[in-house]
Amino acid sequence: MSSSEPQVPKPQPEQQQEEEDESSKPQSKKAAKKEAAKLEKLKRRQEAAVASGVQSLSMEDPLADNYGDVPLLDLQSKVAPGTRVWTEIGKLAEPLKDQYVLVRGRAQRIRAKGKTAFVVLRERGFTVQCVLTEQDGVVSRPMLKYAAGLSRESIVDVEGVVSVPGITINSTTQQVEIQVRKILCVNKAMPTLPINVEDAARSDVEIEKALQNGEQLVRVNQDTRLNYRVLDIRTPANQGIFRIQCQIGNVFRQFLLSEGFVEIHTPKLIAGSSEGGASVFKLDYKGKPACLAQSPQLHKQMAICGDFGRVFEIGAVFRAEDSFTHRHLCEFTGLDVEMEIKEHYFEVMDVVDRLFVAMFDSLNNNFAKELEAVRRQYPFEPLKYLRQTLRLTFEEGIQMLKDAGVEVDPLGDLNTEAERKLGQLVLEKYDTEFYILHRYPLAVRPFYTMPCYDNPTYSNSFDVFIRGEEIISGAQRVHVPDFLAERAQALGIDVQSISTYVDSFRYGAPPHGGFGVGLERVVMLFCGLNNIRKTSLFPRDPLRIAP
């Protein structure tokens, strides 16, 4: 044991032999109680010795208060807010040179070299290098050792002076350093993490390049990422993805509010299917059958019947589909819109047009840093879109596919391959990756879709595509109750289970239409990602319900 470690009393040989002899005999309750008391007394002596040793160690290093683990007591909201001035790592820059700052971040990288230690701190995607240099009265050798022994991803508070090195710092986002005067650990991460954040942040391009040079880098596969999602979402790309997702939801809400829409919140527990088909999560609701809502469709239409005029919702949507594709989830975030129409369902498409052009403009103009963070790990080309969104009829789309030698059912839905091929053809002909395809065959649309006036084989409906994949389904709705019930029954839906929905149209309903958008799918396609699980914070698919 080194001289710096506290001396802990040990049992004397005679005492130890006595204890061993006693332990070989059956113990009475009295003897067991006596033994427990003896062990408790020994434990207290050991704890006192450790405490004494820590105190003596502190006395040995006059700088001991400038480093170490923050006691729990000091973390229990002991200090009132505003007592200390904090600086965000992202705001550390050259104008702060020679100023004393206090920052908090994660210890992303730790490196010691001779009488110097380097700790790179990360906060919300920004990083700064903190330097500890052994110096009398400033940084002691034990302080240096403490910093070098921190585990990666621990939460650390650093106080120090901002300095500006004479060279470009390529390893951090901030072009300044902090000359450390205090370093305290708020919360320690375990010494060995399930995945390394730096490994999870590597691009496939970087890994392949290393392989070509004879170096093997760790590749973190998707299942491992999702198993330890809390670590995975700390990467710069994921920080960018979910900030982009936040902005899409924000633009969606603000744009619609500016257009006179009202935000509503519909129930997710409903008595029957909202979309038709068998892909619902069924459950028991106080002894009655119920299911999770496949969309807010029925209730947002009922809100229109309640005279709100224009409504929208951002909320969870549940689909019990056994889809193992790159773009399907069992739970996703739906962006839903419903509105009265005066003359034509094109009025709904007009809203889609303006909304998404505003959304794309906002991301490109205001989120360049986040987009670049995503692009570094998952390279993609900026989305091509027109100032006025292209509109094609379903029949025109079918004809383009036929002209390209693709055989498709003229009255069936487009499969994934046909959608992608049509997206490619549209890009080549119209130079856009965002377009609307409308007037779909009625047979492939939900029961509440209004047929076309001139040909009931088709419907007043539309889909919207990004990079050859569908992100939106929309339509004019059937607002005539008897016709609505007839359509539902024809598609095998128990009309009784949606009777309150059908009845709402018996009280007088205006013509209306709307659409639904999958938030995760929009982010995936705008950022050119290959799997929707990358844009779901904690994905739910047929095989995953944790974490």
Side-chain angles (χ1 to χ4, degrees):
M1 181 177 290
S2 68
S3 60
S4 63
E5 292 179 321
Q7 299 296 319
V8 180
K10 294 181 178 180
Q12 296 301 313
E14 295 82 5
Q15 176 190 357
Q16 186 174 356
Q17 182 62 46
E18 180 183 341
E19 288 171 353
E20 288 173 356
D21 292 341
E22 287 295 324
S23 66
S24 63
K25 302 174 184 177
Q27 284 188 324
S28 64
K29 288 185 179 180
K30 185 177 180 180
K33 190 174 181 181
K34 184 179 178 182
E35 180 68 18
K38 188 189 298 181
L39 290 172
E40 181 62 28
K41 185 177 180 181
L42 179 60
K43 180 182 176 184
R44 286 198 298 270
R45 287 168 61 194
Q46 290 173 336
E47 288 174 347
V50 170
S52 175
V54 170
Q55 290 171 6
S56 64
L57 181 62
S58 299
M59 292 175 64
E60 288 175 12
D61 185 0
L63 299 176
D65 289 340
N66 291 350
Y67 62 94
D69 299 346
V70 180
L72 177 61
L73 182 66
D74 290 346
L75 298 173
Q76 294 176 295
S77 298
K78 185 178 178 182
V79 179
T83 304
R84 296 182 290 176
V85 178
W86 297 83
T87 301
E88 294 178 14
I89 288 177
K91 293 182 179 177
L92 293 171
E94 192 168 339
L96 294 177
K97 182 182 179 183
D98 297 330
Q99 291 191 28
Y100 197 85
V101 294
L102 167 62
V103 301
R104 174 173 291 173
R106 290 191 181 276
Q108 178 168 296
R109 287 193 302 277
I110 302 125
R111 180 169 59 91
K113 186 178 181 181
K115 295 186 177 182
T116 307
F118 303 92
V119 179
V120 173
L121 286 190
R122 184 185 74 247
E123 181 187 34
R124 301 191 189 110
F126 296 99
T127 53
V128 66
Q129 182 160 270
C130 305
V131 183
L132 295 91
T133 304
E134 189 176 340
Q135 182 181 347
D136 289 343
V138 180
V139 175
S140 63
R141 171 56 60 119
M143 183 174 177
L144 204 67
K145 286 185 175 180
Y146 175 80
L150 288 168
S151 53
R152 288 188 177 192
E153 297 300 299
S154 294
I155 304 294
V156 177
D157 288 350
V158 164
E159 294 182 47
V161 179
V162 176
S163 65
V164 181
I167 58 172
T168 301
I169 307 175
N170 296 318
S171 59
T172 62
T173 63
Q174 307 311 108
Q175 294 303 300
V176 298
E177 294 179 333
I178 298 177
Q179 303 302 319
V180 178
R181 299 294 177 262
K182 286 187 177 182
I183 182 164
L184 301 169
C185 184
V186 174
N187 186 263
K188 280 185 178 178
M190 58 194 298
T192 303
L193 297 170
I195 60 174
N196 188 314
V197 174
E198 288 188 312
D199 290 337
R202 287 197 188 97
S203 68
D204 286 342
V205 173
E206 186 181 353
I207 293 172
E208 294 302 323
K209 187 176 180 181
L211 282 173
Q212 291 172 8
N213 294 330
E215 181 184 0
Q216 190 165 359
L217 298 177
V218 174
R219 187 193 299 269
V220 184
N221 66 40
Q222 183 167 272
D223 280 342
T224 302
R225 290 177 183 277
L226 297 182
N227 289 340
Y228 303 104
R229 190 61 159 160
V230 170
L231 289 170
D232 183 46
I233 58 180
R234 295 178 187 176
T235 65
N238 278 327
Q239 288 289 306
I241 285 169
F242 291 104
R243 281 172 167 76
I244 290 166
Q245 185 180 96
C246 173
Q247 181 63 1
I248 288 174
N250 183 43
V251 172
F252 181 82
R253 174 178 281 112
Q254 296 305 321
F255 177 90
L256 293 173
L257 289 173
S258 73
E259 295 261 334
F261 284 78
V262 177
E263 184 170 9
I264 61 172
H265 304 281
T266 61
K268 305 309 166 198
L269 290 170
I270 61 176
S273 169
S274 53
E275 295 287 337
S279 58
V280 294
F281 286 105
K282 298 179 180 179
L283 52 90
D284 177 83
Y285 187 79
K286 302 294 184 180
K288 298 178 181 178
C291 60
L292 295 176
Q294 295 164 296
S295 81
Q297 185 59 48
L298 310 188
H299 290 91
K300 69 177 181 176
Q301 286 187 254
M302 292 167 74
I304 296 299
C305 294
D307 283 352
F308 282 103
R310 295 181 154 201
V311 299
F312 73 93
E313 179 173 17
I314 301 176
V317 174
F318 303 91
R319 301 286 170 89
E321 299 171 352
D322 288 330
S323 295
F324 298 89
T325 73
H326 72 286
R327 63 178 188 173
H328 287 94
L329 291 170
C330 290
E331 179 184 352
F332 61 90
T333 303
L335 309 178
D336 275 87
V337 169
E338 204 71 22
M339 57 183 277
E340 290 186 17
I341 59 177
K342 302 299 185 185
E343 307 286 349
H344 201 286
Y345 73 97
F346 278 16
E347 294 166 33
V348 183
M349 290 162 57
D350 291 342
V351 170
V352 171
D353 183 352
R354 297 195 307 277
L355 167 61
F356 276 84
V357 169
M359 187 182 292
F360 300 153
D361 285 349
S362 175
L363 292 175
N364 287 328
N365 295 336
N366 305 313
F367 279 71
K369 180 179 72 70
E370 289 80 2
L371 289 168
E372 181 54 34
V374 178
R375 193 176 285 114
R376 277 197 302 271
Q377 184 165 1
Y378 305 111
F380 70 95
E381 293 297 321
L383 180 72
K384 290 186 176 182
Y385 58 99
L386 304 175
R387 304 317 303 172
Q388 185 170 353
T389 303
L390 174 69
R391 301 179 186 184
L392 299 171
T393 66
F394 186 83
E395 290 173 286
E396 288 173 328
I398 292 294
Q399 191 58 52
M400 287 178 69
L401 288 169
K402 285 184 175 179
D403 291 345
V406 180
E407 289 299 323
V408 289
D409 181 355
L411 296 178
D413 207 353
L414 297 179
N415 59 28
T416 302
E417 289 183 10
E419 286 181 353
R420 285 180 175 169
K421 181 61 178 179
L422 183 56
Q424 178 187 333
L425 296 172
V426 167
L427 175 61
E428 291 170 357
K429 185 173 182 178
Y430 299 101
D431 197 33
T432 181
E433 295 175 288
F434 179 71
Y435 71 98
I436 300 173
L437 193 66
H438 67 100
R439 198 177 156 98
Y440 268 71
L442 183 63
V444 300
R445 308 305 282 195
F447 74 94
Y448 46 75
T449 306
M450 182 69 80
C452 286
Y453 78 97
D454 59 339
N455 186 347
T457 301
Y458 294 94
S459 62
N460 294 346
S461 64
F462 60 91
D463 279 359
V464 183
F465 297 85
I466 295 180
R467 301 189 198 269
E469 296 196 38
E470 178 253 317
I471 61 157
I472 295 177
S473 284
Q476 179 182 358
R477 321 302 188 185
V478 175
H479 63 283
V480 180
D482 291 340
F483 185 39
L484 184 63
E486 179 185 319
R487 288 276 302 140
Q489 195 167 16
L491 293 181
I493 296 172
D494 180 6
V495 179
Q496 189 59 38
S497 69
I498 57 170
S499 60
T500 54
Y501 163 68
V502 176
D503 286 346
S504 66
F505 298 101
R506 300 188 192 280
Y507 314 139
H512 60 279
F515 58 91
V517 189
L519 174 60
E520 292 85 354
R521 199 175 287 188
V522 175
V523 180
M524 175 184 78
L525 294 170
F526 184 82
C527 294
L529 300 170
N530 62 2
N531 198 300
I532 199 168
R533 290 155 187 80
K534 286 185 170 72
T535 61
S536 176
L537 196 62
F538 296 100
R540 295 293 179 259
D541 61 30
L543 298 176
R544 181 173 293 278
I545 197 170

